Amino acid sequence: MSEPTSPAVRPRLLWPALLSILGVAILCTLGTWQIARMGEKRVFIERLAAQAAGAPAPMPASSSWAGLDPAALDLTRVTAQGSFIDGAFAGVRTTIAAGGPGTRQLSGFGRWIFQGFRLADGGVVLVNRGFVPESRLGEIKPASGAATVTGFLRAPEPRGSFTPADLPANREFYTRDPAAIAASLGLGAAAPFYLEAERQGDGLTPPAGVDSKELIARIPDNHLSYALTWFGLALTLIGVFAAFAWQGRRTNKQGDS
């Protein structure tokens, strides 16, 4: 008959066991949360794809903007009617990665072109007219006159810890912040979101608006890999504890022999 585990082994395993259980619980919770986020993200992507395939919604009336949540509106496809405001435009520096084989798009280092747009109801919204490579910036002139712009409402872009400081006096920015850009253009109060114009034409004439398929493709959907990582770490922790417990029992037996 095998000898029972020494009572001295049990207290030595108590804290490692408790910490391992806690660690596994935390890792599994993180993995489960990522699975839930994956479901939410895919519903969001499906909603965006359905919007891009259907008729756009009307632009929200300017009288309702104060009560709207820009984050909840993000990537809603709309049509806005009005006129471009005469004057300068602002540029937001960015880099667009080259597309895959068969992709027809402008890429490289450049800027998003932002210009004021006055709606038929008198409200002002900033329109991101599209991307321009830095080498072709001199080709771009301010848009003017009446227009109908179809595109996607976007929430302000948050500033990161390493984002360079904007240069509002030069109308150069590093984040798509409609309030700051509107102030640099002398537009006064503007919508708390901006309108990202949908691509027209071949996508190779700047400023090139956003293509809905490319927009969807740029949305990160890494939640499954993150979930598998957390669950894998939980299994690893279980294996480490099992090896530790087995080694402790083996050492104890050798000491008793």
Side-chain angles (χ1 to χ4, degrees):
M1 295 178 61
S2 60
E3 296 180 4
T5 304
S6 170
V9 176
R10 297 192 185 98
R12 190 173 66 180
L13 292 178
L14 178 62
W15 280 109
L18 292 175
L19 291 174
S20 296
I21 291 171
L22 178 61
V24 168
I26 292 173
L27 293 169
C28 288
T29 298
L30 290 171
T32 302
W33 177 74
Q34 288 291 346
I35 292 293
R37 286 287 295 125
M38 178 180 69
E40 294 171 359
K41 178 66 68 65
R42 291 184 177 176
V43 168
F44 174 75
I45 292 173
E46 289 171 2
R47 188 262 289 178
L48 180 58
Q51 282 186 346
M59 181 76 176
S62 59
S63 58
S64 69
W65 291 350
L68 297 178
D69 178 6
L73 288 174
D74 197 36
L75 291 173
T76 299
R77 187 168 179 252
V78 302
T79 289
Q81 293 182 333
S83 300
F84 280 100
I85 298 173
D86 292 334
F89 57 78
V92 179
R93 292 187 180 274
T94 188
T95 300
I96 302 295
T103 301
R104 293 175 59 82
Q105 67 177 52
L106 297 171
S107 61
F109 180 67
R111 308 188 196 195
W112 297 113
I113 301 301
F114 276 73
Q115 189 171 340
F117 188 81
R118 191 173 303 280
L119 300 168
D121 67 2
V124 173
V125 64
L126 279 164
V127 173
N128 177 6
R129 293 170 53 198
F131 174 74
V132 178
E134 195 71 20
S135 61
R136 301 182 66 179
L137 187 61
E139 301 176 18
I140 306 305
K141 305 300 181 185
S144 62
T148 297
V149 180
T150 298
F152 298 90
L153 296 181
R154 301 304 310 268
E157 184 179 20
R159 178 173 293 276
S161 302
F162 300 101
T163 303
D166 296 327
L167 301 171
N170 299 333
R171 299 186 298 277
E172 294 182 20
F173 294 84
Y174 289 88
T175 58
R176 287 167 279 186
D177 181 349
I181 296 172
S184 77
L185 295 175
L187 299 178
F193 44 79
Y194 65 94
L195 177 58
E196 195 158 69
E198 201 167 62
R199 178 172 301 169
Q200 303 295 325
D202 61 6
L204 298 177
T205 303
V210 65
D211 179 82
S212 59
K213 292 181 181 179
E214 293 173 12
L215 182 63
I216 293 171
R218 289 203 300 266
I219 298 174
D221 185 14
N222 303 319
H223 300 290
L224 180 59
S225 61
Y226 291 154
L228 293 176
T229 298
W230 291 124
F231 290 136
L233 289 173
L235 288 174
T236 300
L237 182 56
I238 292 171
V240 168
F241 173 76
F244 174 78
W246 178 82
Q247 183 63 33
R249 181 173 181 179
R250 181 181 179 187
T251 302
N252 187 70
K253 283 184 176 180
Q254 290 175 349
D256 291 342
S257 60

